[in-house]
C-alpha cells in the first residue's frame, strides 16, 4: 500500500467519524456507542483491504486494469460482518428479493427515473460508446456495485440504525432515519471526492464527482422505500455500464 492510499484511508475514516459525531450531538447523545464505534473501525479496515488489493497484496489472479482482488476481499469481508451482526435478520441489511418496504411503488418509480436520467446524462455529457476489454467491463458490471452497496446502503445503514436506536424504518420518529440516510449519502459522495498528495495534505474536491452525491441520494431513497438492496445494486451497475451501450 502506498503512503497516499493510507492517508486517504485515514481521512475518509475521520470524515465518517465527524459525520457520526455531529449526528450524535443532534440526537443529544442518545445513541449506542458500541455500534457507532464499530462502524468507524470497520470502515477503516475495509478501506485498508481495498487498497492492499490495489497494491498487489492479494496477487493479480483475475487480470484486467482494475482492482478485482481488493474488491473481492472487501466484499467477502463485508459479507462476513453482515452475517456476524445481522445473521438472524438479514432483512435489516436489505437482503430481501421482495420489495416490501414502506413505499415500494415510489422506490420503483424513482429507480425508473434514475435509469432514464442516467442514459440522458451519458448521452449528453459523454457521447460515444466506451470500449474496454471484456474483463474490465465485467468488473464495472459487478465489483463496484456489490462492494459499495453492501457497505453503504447495506451494512453501514443498518449499523447506523442500530446506533441511533432505530429498530424499524416504519417507526414514527423519522429524524434518526433521516440522519442515518444523510450520513450514508454524504460519505458515499465524500469517498469519491477525498484525496491526498502523499504528504498528509487533505484534498477535498466536492465538485470532482457531484454525480456520486446525486446517485447516492437517489439510491438511498430507493433502498428505504423498497426495504431491499436489489434495486440499488442494479441501479449502481446500470450507472457504471451505461457508457458501454449508449
Amino acid at each position: 500500500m502506498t503512503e497516499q492510499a493510507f492517508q486517504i484511508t485515514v481521512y475518509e475514516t475521520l470524515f465518517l467519524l465527524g459525520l457520526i459525531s455531529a449526528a450524535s450531538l443532534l440526537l443529544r447523545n442518545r445513541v449506542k456507542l458500541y455500534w457507532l464505534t464499530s462502524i468507524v473501525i470497520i470502515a477503516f479496515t475495509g478501506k485498508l483491504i481495498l487498497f492492499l488489493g490495489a497494491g498487489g497484496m492479494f496477487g493479480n489472479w483475475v487480470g484486467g486494469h482494475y482492482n478485482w482482488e481488493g474488491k473481492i476481499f472487501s466484499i467477502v469481508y463485508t459479507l462476513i460482518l453482515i452475517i456476524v451482526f445481522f445473521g438472524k435478520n438479514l432483512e435489516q441489511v436489505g437482503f430481501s428479493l421482495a420489495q416490501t418496504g414502506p413505499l415500494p411503488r415510489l422506490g420503483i418509480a424513482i429507480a425508473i427515473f434514475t435509469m432514464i436520467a442516467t442514459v440522458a446524462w451519458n448521452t449528453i455529457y459523454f457521447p460515444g460508446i466506451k470500449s474496454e476489454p471484456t474483463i474490465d467491463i465485467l468488473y464495472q458490471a459487478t465489483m463496484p456495485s456489490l462492494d459499495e452497496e453492501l457497505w453503504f446502503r447495506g451494512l453501514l445503514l443498518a449499523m447506523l440504525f442500530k446506533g441511533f436506536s432505530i429498530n424499524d424504518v416504519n417507526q414514527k420518529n423519522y429524524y434518526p432515519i433521516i440522519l442515518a440516510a444523510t450520513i450514508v449519502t454524504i460519505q458515499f459522495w465524500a469517498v469519491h471526492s477525498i484525496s491526498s498528495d502523499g504528504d498528509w495534505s487533505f484534498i477535498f474536491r466536492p465538485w470532482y464527482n457531484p454525480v456520486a452525491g446525486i446517485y447516492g441520494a437517489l439510491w438511498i431513497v430507493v433502498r428505504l422505500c423498497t426495504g431491499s438492496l436489489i434495486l440499488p445494486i442494479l441501479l449502481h451497475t446500470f450507472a457504471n455500464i451505461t457508457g458501454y451501450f449508449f
Side-chain angles (χ1 to χ4, degrees):
M1 179 191 298
T2 65
E3 185 68 20
Q4 181 187 33
F6 179 74
Q7 292 168 21
I8 292 172
T9 301
V10 171
Y11 286 138
E12 287 184 7
T13 306
L14 290 175
F15 192 92
L16 177 59
L17 176 60
L19 292 175
I20 292 174
S21 299
S24 298
L25 290 175
L26 290 173
L27 292 171
R28 299 179 182 179
N29 291 318
R30 294 194 295 269
V31 297
K32 296 177 180 177
L33 290 179
Y34 165 76
W35 288 98
L36 300 183
T37 303
S38 297
I39 287 172
V40 176
I41 296 172
I42 291 169
F44 180 77
T45 307
K47 198 68 177 188
L48 283 181
I49 291 172
L50 194 63
F51 277 133
L52 285 171
M57 175 67 73
F58 309 128
N60 184 25
W61 33 272
V62 179
H65 296 94
Y66 295 112
N67 183 21
W68 277 94
E69 293 75 22
K71 285 290 188 182
I72 290 172
F73 275 86
S74 179
I75 289 169
V76 171
Y77 172 71
T78 304
L79 286 173
I80 290 172
L81 291 173
I82 286 172
I83 293 171
V84 170
F85 287 111
F86 298 97
K88 295 182 179 180
N89 190 357
L90 292 174
E91 289 187 354
Q92 292 184 24
V93 196
F95 277 33
S96 172
L97 292 176
Q99 308 299 298
T100 56
L103 297 166
R105 291 184 179 179
L106 177 60
I108 293 171
I110 293 173
I112 294 171
F113 164 78
T114 303
M115 293 177 68
I116 295 171
T118 298
V119 174
W121 169 264
N122 277 274
T123 302
I124 295 171
Y125 291 98
F126 303 99
I129 297 176
K130 294 192 299 183
S131 177
E132 285 188 325
T134 301
I135 190 68
D136 291 341
I137 297 175
L138 287 174
Y139 173 91
Q140 292 292 354
T142 55
M143 293 295 100
S145 56
L146 288 173
D147 178 42
E148 294 175 16
E149 295 309 313
L150 286 174
W151 165 238
F152 286 103
R153 279 156 286 273
L155 182 60
L156 174 57
L157 181 65
M159 293 185 74
L160 285 171
F161 278 4
K162 289 291 187 181
F164 296 160
S165 302
I166 304 169
N167 295 317
D168 188 349
V169 75
N170 294 301
Q171 68 181 50
K172 293 182 179 180
N173 184 10
Y174 292 109
Y175 187 50
I177 297 174
I178 293 172
L179 282 179
T182 301
I183 288 174
V184 171
T185 301
I186 294 176
Q187 184 66 17
F188 180 75
W189 168 59
V191 299
H192 292 84
S193 306
I194 291 174
S195 185
S196 174
D197 63 356
D199 195 27
W200 289 103
S201 294
F202 177 70
I203 301 173
F204 184 55
R205 300 188 180 98
W207 61 88
Y208 183 73
N209 197 349
V211 177
I214 296 171
Y215 276 143
L218 290 169
W219 296 341
I220 194 70
V221 173
V222 172
R223 162 72 173 87
L224 293 174
C225 287
T226 63
S228 171
L229 275 175
I230 295 298
L231 283 180
I233 289 173
L234 293 176
L235 290 170
H236 197 148
T237 295
F238 186 79
N240 283 353
I241 67 173
T242 299
Y244 297 114
F245 302 100
F246 297 95

